[in-house]
Amino acid sequence: MAITLVNPSGLVEVDAYHQVSIASGSKLVFVAGQVAWDAEGTAVGTGDLAAQVEQCYLNVGIALAAAGASFDDVAKLNVHVVDWTPDKMPQLMEGITRASTKLGVTAAPPATLLGVAALDVPEHLVEIEATAVLD
């Protein structure tokens, strides 16, 4: 595996992600921001942050698989949430947990959570992009 996840001593340990990923591979995979669309482009989970996070993670999983990768190869995630407030964290975590269960993974690479004013269309509440490294 090309990615080693680390929580260094001296940094807070967060349940949702690791603080550092160390990549030793040579092939980079960049996954465009995934939104809550199904394969036909139909919006999933309109108004439901947890459902949209779940769909985004599933879409990232599909994109990774197309490159011969999985969440085990992800070095970094960026998560963009419309009108983010800390009280939305349980919904975000619920969506991650549901997707992780369906995918059979523990998705905990370093991640950045950004609150944004809007995304591409009004019904999208979240967009998730990934960078993976393969041997």
Side-chain angles (χ1 to χ4, degrees), residues 58-128:
L58 294 174
N59 290 349
V60 168
I62 291 167
L64 290 167
S70 74
F71 272 96
D72 289 336
D73 303 303
V74 173
K76 179 76 167 59
L77 290 172
N78 287 322
V79 180
H80 305 87
V81 182
V82 174
D83 297 326
W84 174 257
T85 55
D87 64 308
K88 294 180 181 178
M89 185 60 80
Q91 296 169 340
L92 179 81
M93 295 308 299
E94 179 184 339
I96 293 170
T97 298
R98 292 190 327 216
S100 295
T101 299
K102 285 183 178 178
L103 294 166
V105 300
T106 303
T112 298
L113 173 62
L114 300 167
V116 297
L119 292 170
D120 59 329
V121 295
E123 55 270 10
H124 288 154
L125 303 175
V126 61
E127 183 170 334
I128 301 173

Side-chain angles (χ1 to χ4, degrees), residues 3 5-6 17-21 74-78 108-112:
I3 300 294
L5 300 177
V6 179
Y17 61 88
H18 287 80
Q19 294 286 0
V20 176
S21 66
V74 173
K76 179 76 167 59
L77 290 172
N78 287 322
T112 298

Side-chain angles (χ1 to χ4, degrees), residues 29-34 59-60 63-64 128-132:
V29 178
F30 298 95
V31 177
Q34 297 297 304
N59 290 349
V60 168
L64 290 167
I128 301 173
E129 60 182 292
T131 302

